[in-house]
Amino acid sequence: DEDYEKNTGKIIIDTFTDRGIDPVAVPGVICHSHGPFTWGKDGAEAVHNAVVLEEIAKMNLFTELLNPGGDNRTPQCMQDKHFMRKHGPNAYYGQAGSHEKEH
């Protein structure tokens, strides 16, 4: 009932800290009974991240509807592979490499 915005921010920070989530790598979160909270280098990037987060939530909803009560989680090894190939030190997928910038 008090300091709603401040306390929501604290919950997000505490959750990311407790779960070891890097807020630069995961620039958004959906809180219960609320829309997305997103951030970025500027307002346009934060809005882009909100659109992406909403699309991911929609895909999750459809997955749950197709397999209600099922184990719809992607195995951790596949999550890691997909993340690291785009964001890891040897990223090679979906990134504009130097050869793409030249063309």
Side-chain angles (χ1 to χ4, degrees), residues 35-89:
F37 289 91
T38 58
W39 45 89
K41 68 178 186 271
D42 56 28
E45 186 173 273
V47 170
H48 171 81
N49 291 336
V51 172
V52 171
L53 184 56
E54 291 284 355
E55 190 64 27
I56 292 168
K58 185 168 47 172
M59 288 188 290
N60 183 66
L61 171 64
F62 292 149
T63 300
E64 291 295 323
L65 290 172
L66 289 170
N67 187 22
D71 184 1
N72 296 313
R73 293 172 291 177
T74 301
Q76 189 64 49
C77 62
M78 288 181 66
Q79 292 180 45
D80 294 344
K81 175 67 175 176
H82 281 273
F83 181 82
M84 295 305 286
R85 71 184 184 150
K86 295 176 185 174
H87 305 287

Side-chain angles (χ1 to χ4, degrees), residues 17-32:
T17 301
D18 293 347
R19 295 183 183 186
I21 299 170
D22 177 1
V24 174
V26 182
V29 61
I30 297 176
C31 293
H32 187 278

